[in-house]
Amino acid sequence: MFSSIQHFIGVWEAESSATLSCLEKLTDESLTQDLVHDHRSIDRLANHIIDCAAGIPHEAGFPVGGYAKTQYHTVAEMTAAYKKATEAVKEAVASCTDASLQEESQMYGQTWKKGFSLWVTVTHQIHHRGQLTVLMRLAGLKVPGIYGPSKEEWEAMGLPQAD
């Protein structure tokens, strides 16, 4: 749970940047590939990530301007929408106080503190970003290094194959 606006914003900037780096590696063609028949496609997963980035804070009562559930159909639309959503969340949370993170709101049939809602927003992005990188590999796309170099980045550095 976040108890400081400043802490959330620092984590949010880093994690949303990492998610954006994945979205930017997608291709319009990859959005239409049927990779795993009974699970989300890259298209559905990317749209879900974008929607929830602002949707969870909006539901928690943060003043996220311009939030609306929308379907995006191209990588350009998705990256633009994600940038807009994550910036709107940052602005909404920055307009609050640390004390407001202790306020409670009804979330998914439970009562959550707003600071917990923000924590869920961040970890939700991380969770789905992991799923997205698996689908990206299946689609033949390069995966960006997030918490360390990716396979391609490791090879470009001339390092031996990692264990």
Side-chain angles (χ1 to χ4, degrees):
M1 183 175 123
F2 289 102
S3 57
S4 155
I5 300 293
Q6 182 179 2
H7 184 213
F8 167 75
I9 289 175
V11 170
W12 186 242
E13 287 175 342
E15 294 301 332
S16 60
S17 176
T19 301
L20 181 61
S21 70
C22 290
L23 294 175
E24 290 173 336
K25 296 278 188 191
L26 301 177
T27 63
D28 288 344
E29 295 77 29
S30 71
L31 300 178
T32 61
Q33 288 182 296
D34 183 19
L35 300 166
V36 184
H37 310 299
D38 58 344
H39 294 280
R40 285 183 174 137
S41 63
I42 289 176
D43 176 66
R44 283 186 55 213
L45 187 57
N47 272 288
H48 179 69
I49 290 169
I50 296 163
D51 178 53
C52 292
I56 296 171
H58 173 78
E59 288 295 318
F62 288 96
V64 181
Y67 169 73
K69 185 176 177 94
T70 305
Q71 283 292 116
Y72 304 99
H73 304 287
T74 68
V75 173
E77 290 174 345
M78 289 176 176
T79 56
Y82 186 75
K83 288 176 188 177
K84 182 178 176 183
T86 56
E87 188 60 32
V89 169
K90 190 168 86 171
E91 289 174 9
V93 174
S95 73
C96 299
T97 65
D98 289 348
S100 68
L101 299 178
Q102 301 301 318
E103 295 171 3
E104 295 181 339
S105 57
Q106 292 300 305
M107 297 291 291
Y108 313 110
Q110 300 176 337
T111 302
W112 293 1
K113 289 188 177 187
K114 287 185 174 183
F116 180 72
S117 296
L118 292 177
W119 180 81
V120 168
T121 303
V122 170
T123 57
H124 184 263
Q125 295 278 295
I126 295 167
H127 162 70
H128 286 306
R129 187 174 67 223
Q131 293 176 326
L132 181 60
T133 60
V134 170
L135 293 177
M136 290 170 70
R137 283 271 183 230
L138 291 173
L141 301 174
K142 291 183 180 178
V143 174
I146 304 290
Y147 302 119
S150 67
K151 178 184 184 295
E152 294 83 4
E153 292 167 342
W154 191 263
E155 290 169 349
M157 290 186 268
L159 299 171
Q161 186 173 3
D163 291 336

